[in-house]
Amino acid sequence: MSTSLLSPAGWLVLGLPWPAETRDGWGECAVAIAPPMIPRSLVSQGAGIALDLATGLARDPNDGPGKAVFFSDVTLWLDKQGKTWPDLGIDYDAVIDELLSAQVPQLYLTLTQKAHAILCDASREGLRLHYPGGDVEHVTPQMRQDVHDGVAQSLTRDWPPYIQGLIDSGALQTR
């Protein structure tokens, strides 16, 4: 078996709606998939492009955020190139829906609401968080990187046993 199944070159992390029910401020609000594991024949051309861009960003030491690439990172990268999803002929909402419904390994993530907001933010100037007491916090690039690092650490820890469990149960074939 290839170690790329248990330890892929990177993950694409998709934000889900913030859940109605949370536990101590944490909610299951994101899904991670491993683009290198997904045969492009299983997805549309648009989804394949999104997966390929995420793979490229995961491997890019200059523009990439590390192994955990948020869908919003791909959107921001496109913006830096002067492009948008529609410029590529891609409906990004449809791509997200397609990837979430694809029959591929998907690991659900539990995050804080702040981390979830950062994960979903694709604004050029960075997110501003408004708190009930009137305080406003501007999310810095370092804060965003900290969320990337935390998600990557969780995936590095949790992905191998998740995939091994799929293999052991026969739900994932390695040949």
Side-chain angles (χ1 to χ4, degrees), residues 13-139:
V13 183
L14 307 165
L16 302 172
W18 183 252
E21 293 185 32
T22 61
R23 178 179 288 181
D24 298 324
W26 292 76
E28 190 175 86
C29 60
V31 171
I33 58 176
M37 289 179 63
I38 300 173
R40 297 310 185 258
S41 61
L42 292 181
V43 296
S44 68
Q45 181 180 4
I49 290 169
L51 294 170
D52 291 343
L53 290 172
T55 298
L57 277 175
R59 293 179 177 153
D60 187 331
N62 298 319
D63 286 332
K67 287 183 72 170
V69 176
F70 305 159
F71 197 87
S72 62
D73 295 323
V74 181
T75 302
L76 283 166
W77 182 85
L78 284 172
D79 183 64
K80 287 180 186 175
Q81 310 312 308
K83 303 278 186 210
T84 65
W85 290 107
D87 291 340
L88 302 178
I90 297 172
D91 176 341
Y92 71 91
D93 286 322
V95 165
I96 291 171
D97 290 343
E98 178 183 351
L99 292 173
L100 290 173
S101 64
Q103 297 298 307
V104 298
Q106 300 178 358
L107 185 61
Y108 283 78
L109 303 172
T110 302
L111 303 170
T112 65
Q113 192 167 16
K114 181 176 178 177
H116 175 258
I118 293 169
L119 170 122
C120 295
D121 177 48
S123 65
R124 290 180 190 155
E125 66 282 347
L127 188 63
R128 292 194 186 280
L129 302 169
H130 296 265
Y131 295 99
D135 290 338
V136 177
E137 179 181 24
H138 182 251
V139 174

Side-chain angles (χ1 to χ4, degrees), residues 122-166:
S123 65
R124 290 180 190 155
E125 66 282 347
L127 188 63
R128 292 194 186 280
L129 302 169
H130 296 265
Y131 295 99
D135 290 338
V136 177
E137 179 181 24
H138 182 251
V139 174
T140 65
Q142 184 58 57
M143 291 169 70
R144 186 173 176 92
Q145 189 59 52
D146 291 346
V147 173
H148 278 102
D149 294 345
V151 169
Q153 287 173 357
S154 294
L155 289 168
T156 299
R157 178 193 65 226
D158 297 340
W159 187 266
Y162 164 65
I163 295 299
Q164 190 62 57
L166 291 177

